[in-house]
Amino acid sequence: MSFFDGEDGQIQAETLEITVALICQISCQTETYIRIKKQVDHILHRHEILFTGIHRKLHSLSSSSIELDLIHRQDMLDDLLCFDLRTIFDHLVENNQITWGKILTILAFSTFIAKKHVDISDRIAFVTGQYIVKKLTPWIKEHGGWV
């Protein structure tokens, strides 16, 4: 029995595939991916100014709190960024107020951030995919999966 057995496993596998393809800008031709990418692109276009403001705020907060040599500083900034993403996701779905729009917003914001931090886009994809798999799979399953 593998991690991706059963209906939950199928949803989790599809979640990871979609997340990595979107955030790391990898081509994927599944119908679900194409449909989600269209929605994510719409959200990115519509909320670019908001996402830019959030990104600047995150960057200024984390930059001002770390005073180490450049190599260790960048590692710490990357760690803080991934931590901050999870915090933002938690606020977005707090009190179990989950919707498809919020899930798409998580994917869109992560994609936006990954475009700004290409060197860690795979890590951003992992953090986002892991978050959705761990916290949102039950809701996705209850609402018909990714179909």
Side-chain angles (χ1 to χ4, degrees), residues 10-33:
Q10 187 176 6
I11 290 169
Q12 292 165 338
E14 196 168 6
T15 298
L16 293 175
E17 178 183 26
I18 290 166
T19 303
V20 169
L22 278 171
I23 295 171
C24 294
Q25 305 294 300
I26 300 169
S27 179
C28 182
Q29 296 305 314
T30 67
E31 284 182 39
T32 303
Y33 169 80

Side-chain angles (χ1 to χ4, degrees), residues 44-61:
L44 284 169
H45 176 73
R46 191 169 184 193
H47 298 292
E48 184 176 4
I49 294 170
L50 174 64
F51 288 171
T52 299
I54 294 169
H55 176 255
R56 282 187 187 141
K57 185 71 170 174
L58 289 174
H59 185 71
S60 69
L61 287 173

Side-chain angles (χ1 to χ4, degrees), residues 41-144:
D41 288 346
H42 177 74
I43 292 169
L44 284 169
H45 176 73
R46 191 169 184 193
H47 298 292
E48 184 176 4
I49 294 170
L50 174 64
F51 288 171
T52 299
I54 294 169
H55 176 255
R56 282 187 187 141
K57 185 71 170 174
L58 289 174
H59 185 71
S60 69
L61 287 173
S62 58
S63 294
S64 65
S65 66
I66 299 175
E67 295 177 15
L68 300 169
D69 61 84
L70 241 59
I71 294 171
H72 291 102
R73 184 174 189 271
Q74 190 58 52
D75 289 343
M76 297 264 309
L77 285 171
D78 295 346
D79 289 344
L80 279 172
L81 177 64
C82 290
F83 175 80
D84 289 342
L85 282 175
R86 286 187 294 265
T87 302
I88 289 168
F89 302 159
D90 281 341
H91 284 291
L92 193 59
V93 296
E94 68 186 345
N95 299 324
N96 222 18
Q97 297 297 313
I98 304 165
T99 65
W100 284 115
K102 290 180 180 183
I103 293 171
L104 290 171
T105 300
I106 288 170
L107 292 169
F109 186 67
S110 295
T111 300
F112 177 85
I113 295 296
K115 287 179 181 178
K116 302 289 185 187
H117 300 272
V118 177
D119 52 325
I120 62 165
S121 62
D122 57 338
R123 190 166 168 199
I124 293 168
F126 175 77
V127 166
T128 304
Q130 186 181 47
Y131 183 89
I132 294 171
V133 162
K134 287 184 174 181
K135 300 241 180 170
L136 305 177
T137 294
W139 188 93
I140 293 169
K141 180 181 175 184
E142 287 175 19
H143 292 82

